[in-house]
Amino acid sequence: GGASGENPKSGKTAGRSKGTSTSAASPAGSSKGKTAGGGGGKFLGPLVKVGPGGDFSTIGAALDYVKKNRSRYDTGSRRTSCRIEVNGGETFSETIIVDNSSKAYPPGVQIVSSGVGRARLTPSGSGPAIRLIGLENWLVQGFDVDASGKDAAIELSGYLNRTSLKDLNVSGFKNVGVLLKGAIGFSNDEVVLEDLILRGSGGVTAGIHFARE
């Protein structure tokens, strides 16, 4: 069960229900910019920029790059391995979908809205705007998320040790702001939800809902 109501909710939580993973989608974006090479191109190092004048025009392309360069970013430490900075004030018509059920992504990746204003996600379709599966020490921070037409705005599942959602302004979802679908964090490596503003589209909605997979 989960907390329900029409008012925005924020929280800090550690999931404890074991779940299985689902498949990821390949997002597409609306902002324009240059695109750096993938696995065969130059290594961009710990900072990757998204948006006009950046390394990639979409968040999805940056995530594909990190995936292709997993061995370079996976240093074996608990520190941040890659920071993806998304241009503030820009709108991206895409989802943030990261399915790590096959261990294709490195730990320690941050996806952060940076600069003047806040980056805005306006994905189409009925699936979640943000879906994270089986990630270690990931962070998504600082975005405005338009979840209009979506049953759940954000979905988290699998082992998500030290993975955090911070400072997100989420609006327009029909049923649930954050669905923790069997999300798990160890006792000292919790799943963290911090400074979230969750506003449904009307009627009875749940800010945060815990469900078994």
Side-chain angles (χ1 to χ4, degrees), residues 12-16 77-79 135-138 158-164 180 183-193:
K12 184 171 181 178
T13 185
R16 289 293 183 270
S77 76
R78 292 171 64 92
R79 297 180 180 180
L135 298 168
E136 181 179 355
N137 192 25
W138 277 55
Y159 287 93
L160 293 168
N161 297 324
R162 291 178 291 123
T163 291
S164 304
L180 290 108
I184 301 172
F186 294 144
S187 59
N188 295 322
D189 294 322
E190 296 93 348
V191 182
V192 176
L193 309 181

Side-chain angles (χ1 to χ4, degrees), residues 28-39:
S30 61
S31 297
K32 295 181 179 180
K34 67 179 181 179
T35 301

Side-chain angles (χ1 to χ4, degrees), residues 111-114 117-119 140-144 166-169:
I111 307 172
V112 179
S113 173
S114 178
R118 295 167 67 91
V140 179
Q141 180 175 7
F143 291 89
D144 289 343
K166 296 183 178 181
D167 187 24
L168 302 180
N169 189 344

Side-chain angles (χ1 to χ4, degrees), residues 29-31 87 89-94 118-122:
S30 61
S31 297
N87 278 15
E90 298 291 329
T91 296
F92 297 83
S93 300
E94 60 176 316
R118 295 167 67 91
R120 182 174 177 82
L121 300 180
T122 60

Side-chain angles (χ1 to χ4, degrees), residues 61-210:
L63 288 170
D64 285 343
Y65 168 81
V66 170
K67 181 178 179 180
K68 291 175 182 176
N69 288 275
R70 181 189 186 283
S71 61
R72 292 175 169 180
Y73 283 115
D74 190 354
T75 61
S77 76
R78 292 171 64 92
R79 297 180 180 180
T80 298
S81 62
C82 179
R83 179 180 172 93
I84 299 174
E85 290 190 353
V86 182
N87 278 15
E90 298 291 329
T91 296
F92 297 83
S93 300
E94 60 176 316
T95 56
I96 296 178
I97 304 293
V98 189
D99 181 355
N100 198 35
S101 55
S102 61
K103 307 300 181 185
Y105 293 89
V109 176
Q110 299 180 345
I111 307 172
V112 179
S113 173
S114 178
V116 179
R118 295 167 67 91
R120 182 174 177 82
L121 300 180
T122 60
S124 59
S126 59
I130 299 173
R131 177 184 283 142
L132 306 180
I133 304 170
L135 298 168
E136 181 179 355
N137 192 25
W138 277 55
L139 168 69
V140 179
Q141 180 175 7
F143 291 89
D144 289 343
V145 182
D146 182 354
S148 298
K150 301 182 181 302
D151 290 330
I154 299 170
E155 182 179 306
L156 307 178
S157 62
Y159 287 93
L160 293 168
N161 297 324
R162 291 178 291 123
T163 291
S164 304
L165 302 179
K166 296 183 178 181
D167 187 24
L168 302 180
N169 189 344
V170 183
S171 62
F173 54 88
K174 294 190 293 185
N175 294 320
V176 180
V178 181
L179 174 61
L180 290 108
K181 196 172 182 180
I184 301 172
F186 294 144
S187 59
N188 295 322
D189 294 322
E190 296 93 348
V191 182
V192 176
L193 309 181
E194 185 176 318
D195 294 332
L196 306 184
I197 298 175
L198 306 171
R199 294 190 178 93
S201 58
V204 177
T205 59
I208 300 171
H209 181 77
F210 296 85

